[in-house]
Amino acid sequence: MKQLIEVPPGLNGVVDGDRGFFHYGPYDATMLARTRSFEDVWFLVRNGRLPDPDESAGFRCETAALRAIPAALEPVIAAVATSDSSMLSKLRSVLSVAAGPLELSPVIDVDDDRRREQTLRLAALVPSLLAALHRVGSGLSAVEPDRALGHAAAYLHQVTGVVPTPVAARAVEQYMILTIDHGFNASTFTARVVASTGADPADAVCAALGALAGPLHGGAPSRALDALDEIGSVDAAAGWVRGEVAAGRRIMGFGHAVYRAPDPRSALLREVAERLGGDLVELATAVEAEILVTLAELKPGRPLPSNVEFYAGVVMESAGLPRSMFTPTFAVSRTVGWCAHIVEQAAVGKLIRPSSRYVGPPVTL
């Protein structure tokens, strides 16, 4: 069968998978996660440079002021929060009617300044919407965003109703920094395709959320944690892996479409998890070691290092987030990346429309 399209499979060539390195602009992304706030990295992906101290403080205040949910969206949240849909589906429903309340315009109809203003508002609002959907759907009252808290801490507060400890807030913040962007992944490329049509930013983000909803893209952290629950103890890890491999099932949290060296995000999140501590972290680190040894034995010559998803769920659960909010938390940070891509793609002003190759019966003229 002829190859339909001539592109590298997966994300090959987008990040340096052999060295295990990825970056935001000229900066090592893991170093940014170690040393910078979420808002600083958000500023970077929007502006192409890191902020100075005054700009950092100003941007934190600016984004904090944009978290409040418009009153016009509250009835929509109430209507969809208790549905049986997934959290990302609920968010898409709210965003589908957000253009009016947020005064969003098709990106083709406005200048760059207006696009940047609209996407900033949208990215700042998404965590408040997700937190409200979670709480209202659980029979609880939504929590007003606290402007005194950073972006990650405010989100954690709005989800749990409790002001997080500095350690928990920083753990979630570091996870969120690591997931702002990662090349032309499926959801980011989807956002750019929709932005190239000239649609408004919410349309592009809704499309990206649809891509993220797929378990092969955004659902791995909760599945990796489910696997830990199923394994139960370090003594059972090797046998569990053998059974999964024999059944032809994927080991969630191990292997990556690009990385052959260890995923640098996983190494940092392991450190974050160990800082949080607890029985779950102890189990995860011990099980990881057993899984790596067993996979190396079963699949020699095929590197399958642990990836960002393995420790992501451990970190989020240890910090107080429920599993139903793992992929939504990914969406909180990735929306920042999507919005940066939307602005960049809109400036190109050209429709993404790849060619295809016909492989059917010969055409009769």
Side-chain angles (χ1 to χ4, degrees), residues 95-347:
L95 290 181
S96 293
V97 297
L102 297 183
E103 299 182 347
L104 303 180
S105 307
V107 294
I108 199 172
D109 293 336
V110 293
D111 62 19
D112 188 66
D113 287 343
R114 184 68 177 138
R115 293 170 194 147
R116 292 169 62 81
E117 176 187 335
Q118 292 182 3
T119 52
L120 185 67
R121 175 76 171 104
L122 186 60
L125 182 62
V126 160
S128 295
L129 293 176
L130 282 168
L133 285 164
H134 165 70
R135 291 185 65 82
V136 173
S138 302
L140 303 169
S141 298
V143 175
E144 290 294 318
D146 187 340
R147 292 192 183 189
L149 297 176
H151 196 67
Y155 167 67
L156 193 51
H157 174 223
Q158 286 181 275
V159 172
T160 65
V162 178
V163 176
T165 66
V167 172
R170 181 57 178 160
V172 172
E173 180 174 49
Q174 289 185 289
Y175 166 72
M176 288 171 57
I177 291 171
L178 291 174
T179 50
I180 285 175
D181 196 28
H182 200 241
F184 269 22
N185 55 83
S187 57
T188 296
F189 186 65
T190 300
R192 291 192 73 122
V193 170
V194 175
S196 80
T197 71
D200 74 51
D203 289 329
V205 169
C206 282
L209 287 166
L212 186 65
L216 295 184
H217 187 12
S222 59
R223 290 174 180 239
L225 206 53
D226 290 343
L228 270 179
D229 286 344
E230 188 176 341
I231 292 169
S233 69
V234 65
D235 294 337
W240 180 87
V241 172
R242 294 180 191 282
E244 294 297 293
V245 171
R249 289 189 286 267
R250 297 169 61 97
I251 309 297
M252 285 296 185
F254 292 82
H256 194 273
V258 174
Y259 292 119
R260 297 300 174 262
D263 185 337
R265 301 168 300 173
S266 178
L268 177 53
L269 284 182
R270 176 175 179 158
E271 294 178 22
V272 173
E274 289 173 338
R275 190 170 70 238
L276 287 165
D279 293 342
L280 176 61
V281 175
E282 291 182 9
L283 175 64
T285 54
V287 166
E288 177 195 27
E290 287 297 315
I291 291 178
L292 289 173
V293 168
T294 308
L295 286 175
E297 175 190 331
L298 296 175
K299 296 181 178 291
R302 182 182 174 188
L304 291 169
S306 52
N307 59 42
V308 67
E309 285 86 9
F310 182 76
Y311 280 106
V314 174
V315 167
M316 285 187 276
E317 182 152 299
S318 298
L321 287 167
R323 294 190 192 188
S324 61
M325 295 303 288
F326 286 2
T327 301
T329 302
F330 188 178
V332 168
S333 56
R334 190 53 62 87
T335 298
V336 168
W338 292 334
C339 285
H341 280 276
I342 289 166
V343 171
E344 184 177 81
Q345 184 62 47

